[in-house]
Amino acid sequence: MMEQKVLPAVRRMKDFETLLDTDTEYLIFLETRIGLLKSMMREARKRKKKVFIHADLVQGLKTDEYGMEYLGREIKPDGIISTRSGVIQQAKRYGITSVQRLFLIDSQALAQNIKQVERTNPDYIELLPGVLPGMIREMTGMLDIPIIAGGLIRTPAEVEEALQAGAVAITTSREELWHFE
């Protein structure tokens, strides 16, 4: 589904405006305010962009069923990213692509993450930190869900390592990596 290998993660309005004039198809709203979502989505749609929103990081949005109802009915993003199982389940309810964000901290967290993924069955998994190619390989071998690598990826070589390890894409807020081929 995702041909684009680097998914730009927008933290600032200036970055969003810059990406509107590129051939980037997918982008991620990492940190924004709830009051800006409608206008940002409108501009993105005009430019035929597909937008994923990191629901946990939207200022002013509570990620409960009502917050998700607002996103699903009013904002209508192409995808939702979250660490929360309930958000992933609600995204599916509204027909929004779901990305379960998982932090690789230790063996116990890994086991809990796998249980969570088996319960929620997201469309994608985002693994953080994304600079662990061995863990990307392991997770792609264990689960039949596409992996996106994110976090601490700083160089083109690290992008390539994550992709070679089995990630379908990487997320980054580093502008210098947004045009990786």
Side-chain angles (χ1 to χ4, degrees):
M1 177 178 138
M2 236 180 259
E3 297 294 320
Q4 187 177 317
K5 297 301 177 197
V6 174
L7 307 174
V10 176
R11 291 185 189 274
R12 302 174 311 180
M13 188 59 82
K14 178 183 170 216
D15 293 336
F16 172 65
E17 291 166 354
T18 298
L19 284 168
L20 288 176
D21 293 324
T22 68
D23 60 355
T24 296
E25 181 180 7
Y26 291 89
L27 55 99
I28 297 169
F29 293 168
L30 258 192
E31 297 170 3
T32 189
R33 297 188 320 262
I34 194 169
L36 296 176
L37 283 177
K38 276 190 177 184
S39 63
M40 290 174 76
M41 285 299 297
R42 188 173 33 255
E43 286 304 309
R45 294 274 188 246
K46 279 185 198 174
R47 311 285 176 88
K48 305 208 183 323
K49 305 294 182 192
K50 292 188 171 112
V51 176
F52 282 52
I53 296 174
H54 193 310
D56 304 346
L57 299 179
V58 176
Q59 296 170 21
L61 178 72
K62 186 172 180 182
T63 51
D64 60 6
E65 70 179 277
Y66 302 113
M68 289 306 298
E69 178 182 15
Y70 174 73
L71 287 179
R73 291 187 179 180
E74 298 295 321
I75 304 301
K76 300 177 185 167
D78 298 285
I80 293 288
I81 301 170
S82 181
T83 58
R84 296 179 170 101
S85 298
V87 171
I88 298 302
Q89 291 166 337
Q90 289 289 323
K92 291 173 149 262
R93 179 178 175 193
Y94 290 100
I96 300 169
T97 299
S98 61
V99 180
Q100 180 84 52
R101 191 177 228 202
L102 304 176
F103 292 95
L104 300 174
I105 300 168
D106 57 24
S107 297
Q108 185 177 358
L110 178 61
Q112 291 291 31
N113 285 337
I114 290 169
K115 286 179 186 174
Q116 182 177 12
V117 165
E118 288 171 345
R119 274 193 319 270
T120 59
N121 193 31
D123 298 301
Y124 292 89
I125 296 168
E126 183 185 23
L127 290 181
L128 286 92
V131 291
L132 300 171
M135 289 306 303
I136 294 169
R137 268 188 221 91
E138 186 175 326
M139 293 293 282
T140 57
M142 278 193 283
L143 301 168
D144 192 28
I145 299 171
I147 304 289
I148 299 169
L152 299 177
I153 297 174
R154 295 176 258 182
T155 67
E158 290 170 338
V159 171
E160 192 59 45
E161 282 180 353
L163 296 172
Q164 290 295 322
V168 297
I170 68 109
T171 60
T172 183
S173 58
R174 290 182 173 266
E175 187 175 349
E176 62 270 21
L177 296 176
W178 289 351
H179 305 289
F180 178 84
E181 297 285 328

